[in-house]
C-alpha cells in the first residue's frame, strides 16, 4: 500500500541573531530527513531534546517553510501549495501538543473548544456542537463536562479535549508531539491506550513524537531515531529495540530506565557520554562522532549514507557502509 505521508530530504535551518541583531550563524534543526508513514500505521519519532522533532512536525504541516525537500500527502507534494489549498490538507493532518492548557481557549467551554475546530472550517454552530458532544464521548469525557472550562480539568482530561478537538475534523493523520510528556505515569498509560483505541476506531495513521523510548516502543510499529537534526536509524519497532545498529540508538536504549508503560522498574542505565554539541556548530562528517565510542578518523570527513541492514531497517553509520559484518556491540 502507498504510504499516506512521505517526507523526502526535508531540511530547515534557522538564522540565529547575536547581540544587536547581528547574524551569528544558523541552527541546522532538520537535515535531509526522509521517511514514510504507512496508511493506518504508527511511526514513532524519538531523540533527545533539541534534535528537531517538533521542527519536523511543523514543517510537515507547513507551519514553517522548509528550505529544501518534499512532503507528500497521498502522493501529492504539498510544499509550495497555496494557503487555501493547505487549509484542506491541514484538516487531514491534525496535531496534538504537549501542553493542552496553552492550546485550549480558557474562555471557551470544553464543548466549544472542540466545536470551534469544526465551525472555523465552515460548519454551523449547531452542527459543530452536536458533533463535539459525540467526540467528547469518544475520548471518554462524561457529558457533564461539556459546559465546564479548561481550568477545572486535570491534565489528562485536558489532553482528551485536545484529542477530541483534533478528531472532530475527521483527519487521516494525527501528529502527537510529546502529547503525554507532561502527564503522570498512570495518566500517561490511560491516554496512550486512548490513542490506540481511537486509532483503530477512526482508521488513523499516527506520527508519534516523544523523547521517551518506552512510550514510543509501546505505541509504534516503526520507529525513527533522530540526532541533531538527522535520522540515524529507522525500522520496525521490534527489530530496532531488540537489535539496534547505530551507536547512538544503542546508547539511547542503554540510557533509558526500562519500563512497562505506567510502571518504572529500576535497572542499570548508563547516561550517554559527552555533551550534546551546539546545533549552531554541528560536528563535521557524522554528527554523532564526538560522543561515539566507535568513532574513527573517517567519521570526521564523511557524512554517513543510509544503509539497509534488514528488511525496512536502515542505519546511517559509516561502520555499516564498508560491509562490516560484525555489528558494534555496546
Ligand atoms: N524558531 C526557531 N528559531 C531558532 N532556532 C530554533 C527555532 N525552532 C527550533 N529551533 C532550534 O532547532 C533545534 C531543534 O528544535 P526542536 O524544538 O525541533 O527540537 P525537539 O526535538 O522538538 O526538542 P524537545 O524534545 O525539547 O521538544 C533546536 O536547537 C532549537 O533551538
Ligand atoms: Mg519538541
Amino acid at each position: 500500500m502507498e504510504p499516506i505521508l512521505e517526507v523526502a530530504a526535508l531540511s530547515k535551518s534557522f538564522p540565529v541573531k547575536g547581540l544587536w541583531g547581528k547574524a551569528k550563524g544558523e541552527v541546522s534543526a532538520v537535515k535531509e530527513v526522509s521517511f514514510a508513514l504507512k496508511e493506518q500505521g504508527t511511526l514513532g519519532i524519538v531523540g533527545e531534546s533539541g534534535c528537531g522533532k517538533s521542527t519536523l512536525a511543523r514543517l510537515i504541516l507547513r507551519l514553517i517553510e522548509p528550505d529544501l525537500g518534499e512532503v507528500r500527502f497521498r502522493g501529492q507534494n504539498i510544499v509550495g501549495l497555496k494557503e487555501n489549498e493547505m487549509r484542506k490538507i491541514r484538516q487531514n493532518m491534525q496535531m496534538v501538543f504537549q501542553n493542552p492548557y496553552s492550546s485550549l481557549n480558557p474562555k471557551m467551554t470544553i464543548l466549544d473548544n472542540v466545536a470551534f475546530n469544526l465551525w472555523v472550517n465552515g460548519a454551523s454552530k449547531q452542527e459543530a456542537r452536536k458533533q463535539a458532544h459525540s467526540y467528547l464521548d469518544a475520548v471518554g469525557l462524561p457529558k457533564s463536562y461539556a459546559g465546564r472550562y479548561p481550568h477545572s480539568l486535570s491534565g489528562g482530561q485536558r489532553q482528551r479535549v485536545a484529542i477530541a478537538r483534533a478528531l472532530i475534523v475527521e483527519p487521516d493523520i494525527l501528529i502527537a508531539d510529546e502529547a503525554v510528556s507532561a502527564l503522570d505515569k498512570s495518566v500517561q498509560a490511560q491516554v496512550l491506550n486512548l490513542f490506540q483505541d481511537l486509532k483503530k476506531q477512526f482508521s488513523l495513521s499516527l506520527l508519534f513524537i516523544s523523547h521517551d523510548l518506552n512510550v514510543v516502543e509501546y505505541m509504534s510499529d516503526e520507529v525513527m531515531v533522530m540526532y541533531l537534526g538527522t535520522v540515524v536509524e529507522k525500522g520496525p519497532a521490534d527489530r530496532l529495540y531488540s537489535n539496534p545498529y547505530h551507536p547512538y540508538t544503542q546508547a539511547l536504549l542503554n540510557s533509558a530506565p526500562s519500563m512497562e508503560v505506567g510502571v518504572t522498574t529500576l535497572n542499570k542505565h548508563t547516561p550517554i557520554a559527552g555533551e550534546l554539541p551546539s546545533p549552531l556548530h554541528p560536528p563535521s562528517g557524522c554528527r554523532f562522532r564526538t560522543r561515539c565510542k566507535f568513532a574513527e578518523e573517517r567519521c570526521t570527513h564523511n557524512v554517513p549514507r543510509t544503509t539497509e541492514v534488514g528488511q525496512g531497517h536502515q542505519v546511517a553509520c559509516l561502520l555499516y557502509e564498508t560491509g562490516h559484518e560484525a555489528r558494534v556491540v555496546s
Side-chain angles (χ1 to χ4, degrees):
M1 206 191 289
E2 191 185 304
I4 188 163
L5 180 74
E6 271 178 294
V7 163
L10 207 59
S11 300
K12 178 72 180 177
S13 294
F14 295 106
V16 176
K17 296 206 170 95
L19 231 52
W20 319 115
K22 227 175 110 184
K24 212 171 113 186
E26 283 196 329
V27 170
S28 166
V30 167
K31 183 139 194 307
E32 290 172 19
V33 168
S34 301
F35 68 85
L37 172 64
K38 292 192 181 121
E39 180 99 48
Q40 292 181 42
T42 301
L43 175 74
I45 302 177
V46 74
E48 286 165 288
S49 183
C51 72
K53 305 180 294 296
S54 297
T55 303
L56 182 58
R58 291 163 67 212
L59 287 170
I60 291 168
L61 289 168
R62 284 196 44 223
L63 302 174
I64 47 175
E65 290 300 323
D67 299 333
L68 283 170
E70 293 192 355
V71 177
R72 292 191 284 270
F73 175 71
R74 296 198 183 283
Q76 180 190 21
N77 182 14
I78 63 170
V79 174
L81 283 189
K82 294 200 184 73
E83 204 37 48
N84 60 345
E85 296 167 301
M86 260 323 282
R87 215 166 295 142
K88 204 162 166 49
I89 304 278
R90 282 201 197 99
Q91 273 194 42
N92 273 312
M93 297 195 275
Q94 288 286 302
M95 193 142 163
V96 179
F97 298 94
Q98 172 167 1
N99 186 346
Y101 198 53
S102 62
S103 59
L104 297 177
N105 186 332
K107 294 193 177 126
M108 276 187 185
T109 62
I110 299 307
L111 187 75
D112 283 354
N113 260 287
V114 176
F116 185 76
N117 206 10
L118 203 55
W119 82 59
V120 289
N121 283 299
S124 70
K125 270 195 181 177
Q126 194 192 12
E127 175 58 21
R129 285 190 174 134
K130 191 171 145 219
Q131 290 288 338
H133 273 296
S134 73
Y135 281 94
L136 283 175
D137 187 47
V139 299
L141 283 172
K143 278 202 170 33
S144 58
Y145 278 59
R148 291 171 64 168
Y149 287 83
H151 70 86
S152 71
L153 268 57
S154 69
Q157 288 166 340
R158 276 184 218 135
Q159 202 54 297
R160 286 174 194 265
V161 177
I163 296 168
R165 183 186 53 182
L167 290 180
I168 199 171
V169 291
E170 301 182 352
D172 295 328
I173 299 176
L174 211 55
I175 302 179
D177 186 2
E178 304 283 3
V180 300
S181 304
L183 306 176
D184 292 345
K185 285 277 177 264
S186 63
V187 181
Q188 240 183 36
Q190 291 166 13
V191 176
L192 292 177
N193 290 335
L194 177 68
F195 270 116
Q196 305 265 36
D197 294 344
L198 295 171
K199 195 191 144 204
K200 268 192 230 128
Q201 189 182 344
F202 296 105
S203 306
L204 300 167
S205 310
L206 203 59
L207 210 56
F208 200 88
I209 298 171
S210 175
H211 67 277
D212 187 327
L213 283 153
N214 296 302
V215 163
V216 166
E217 182 180 20
Y218 182 69
M219 291 299 291
S220 315
D221 322 314
E222 294 189 285
V223 173
M224 174 163 103
V225 183
M226 289 182 71
Y227 183 79
L228 269 184
T230 62
V231 178
V232 297
E233 185 162 0
K234 60 179 176 247
D238 49 353
R239 281 193 59 124
L240 191 133
Y241 277 78
S242 61
N243 203 4
Y245 274 68
H246 199 285
Y248 177 62
T249 314
Q250 294 176 0
L252 200 61
L253 286 171
N254 282 336
S255 73
S258 93
M259 182 190 87
E260 286 175 34
V261 169
V263 197
T264 309
T265 50
L266 291 172
N267 70 341
K268 82 168 169 63
H269 50 100
T270 329
I272 303 172
E275 296 265 311
L276 191 66
S278 159
L280 253 176
H281 308 286
S284 62
C286 170
R287 290 188 172 189
F288 184 58
R289 69 177 167 79
T290 53
R291 298 167 84 190
C292 178
K293 56 183 170 183
F294 305 102
E296 301 167 359
E297 172 63 19
R298 61 189 175 130
C299 304
T300 316
H301 311 295
N302 301 295
V303 176
R305 286 194 298 262
T306 303
T307 309
E308 190 92 9
V309 290
Q311 221 188 4
H313 189 174
Q314 294 166 346
V315 61
C317 171
L318 288 160
L319 286 170
Y320 302 102
E321 277 190 25
T322 47
H324 272 250
E325 289 302 311
R327 196 166 64 79
V328 285
V329 186
S330 52

